[in-house]
Every structure is written in C-alpha cells, then in structure tokens.
C-alpha cells in the first residue's frame, strides 16, 4: 500500500499544527480493515491529519472531525467551503507583516482574541512557536511568535489549502476514480 512506502509527508497538510498523528498516520492506516472504513470520527482533530490521510488514500468514505477549539473548527469550514477567500486573507496578512513582523503578529493576536476570526488564527498558527496553540485562563491566545520564520509564503499556502480542500470536498465516488493508492 502506498502509505507504507510514501510516508506521512506525502499527505497534504492544510496548516502546521502541533501533534503527532501526521507522523503516525501510515501506521494507523495499516491497521484499518481491508478496503477501509465507511466512516471515520476524529476527535481532538487539530489539523485532522488522520482524516485527510484516510481520504487521500481512499481508506474512509466519510470523515467527521471535531475539536474543542471553535475557531479551529471554523477554520476547517473555510478550508472546505471558501478556500479562495481564506487564501486571499492569508496572502493579505502575510504581505502586511513584512515591514514589522513582530508588532504585526502581536496586533493580529489581539485582533484574533477580540474577534476569534478563523483567518487570523491561520496566520497565527503559521507564525507562532512550534505551531503550538496556547491559551490563557481567560481563553486568550497567548503563544508568542517564532521570530526565525515568517510563516509559509502565500504561494505555498495556496497549494496546501487547495489540496486539503479538494481532498475533503471530493465525493467518495470521485475519490475512488483518482486512484491515489
Ligand atoms: C496536541 S493537539 C493534537 C492534534 C492532532 N490530534 C495530532 O495528533 O496531530 C490536541 C488537540 O486536541 C484538542 N482538544 C483538547 N481537549 C479536547 C477536548 N476535551 N475535546 C475536543 N478536543 C480537545 C485541542 O484543541 C487540540 O487541537
């Protein structure tokens, strides 16, 4: 099976997110029943590594993702239903940060804490330390910026979002025809 040889890195990842399921996806898929499953439920989904891998390799007909982080779930809704809008917003934020990325990150974090906008969360995830979400007791996002990097360039993010969106939107019959594995 392709996932055994290609490894987890061949599976598109919409955004960076701390966790280990992406690296373990191949091992987890290898214990699925032959032919895959009709429905996969992924709790504590984060970047939904297992759901995306299952769809990518045609090992699940349908997936349900869930996470306690509401804005993260809103981000997934945008990835699936409005990828073009999300890419435009990310591109705008990424370009605006250029002159002073440190201050811009902090301003964006304040705006996110006031609005909980999923497009702002995407920018923060791409620029925060270790792509690790951290919240204060009062539910404010308080992870600092990783000053060594500016986050994925818009062209790269466009590829990532479009790839993940397409995989999630394809109906099972179309996915089977793409013969990914
Ligand atoms: C470290 S991340 C792991 C992400 C992913 N499962 C992976 O391994 O790559 C843990 C995720 O679980 C979510 N989470 C924590 N407690 C939860 C709960 N009680 N119910 C649903 N999601 C929860 C967090 O919001 C976070 O996105």
């Amino acid at each position: 099976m392709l996932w055994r040889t290609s490894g987890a890195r061949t599976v598109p990842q919409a955004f960076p997110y701390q966790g280990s399921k992406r690296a373990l996806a191949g091992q987890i898929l290898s214990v699925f029943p032959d032919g895959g499953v009709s429905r996969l439920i992924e709790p504590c989904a984060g970047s939904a590594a297992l759901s995306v891998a299952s769809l990518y390799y045609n090992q699940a007909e349908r997936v349900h993702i869930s996470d306690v982080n509401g804005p993260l779930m809103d981000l997934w809704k945008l990835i699936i239903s409005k990828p073009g809008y999300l890419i435009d917003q990310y591109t705008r934020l990424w370009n605006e940060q250029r002159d002073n990325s440190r201050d811009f990150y902090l301003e964006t974090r304040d705006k996110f804490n006031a609005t909980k906008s999923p497009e702002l969360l995407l920018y923060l995830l791409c620029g925060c330390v270790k792509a690790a979400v951290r919240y204060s007791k009062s539910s404010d996002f308080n992870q600092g910026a990783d000053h060594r990097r500016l986050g994925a360039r818009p062209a790269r993010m466009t590829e990532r979002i479009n790839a993940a969106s397409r995989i999630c939107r394809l109906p099972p019959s179309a996915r089977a025809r793409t013969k990914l594995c």
Side-chain angles (χ1 to χ4, degrees), residues 33 63 65 69-70 74 76 81 83 88 90 93 109 143 154 161 165 171:
V63 301
I65 64 173
N69 186 327
D74 290 340
W76 269 109
S81 62
D88 286 350
Y90 181 81
L93 291 165
R109 197 174 71 176
Q143 181 62 285
I161 298 287
S165 183

Side-chain angles (χ1 to χ4, degrees), residues 48-69:
L50 199 55
S51 296
V52 176
S54 304
L55 296 175
Y56 186 73
Y57 288 120
N58 287 321
Q59 292 303 299
E61 270 184 54
R62 292 178 200 289
V63 301
H64 299 260
I65 64 173
S66 144
D67 196 288
V68 74
N69 186 327

Side-chain angles (χ1 to χ4, degrees), residues 17-22 42-47 49 66-69 72:
Y17 201 83
Q18 191 177 51
S20 51
K21 259 191 276 165
R22 188 167 183 238
E42 185 171 4
C44 304
S47 62
S66 144
D67 196 288
V68 74
N69 186 327
L72 187 71

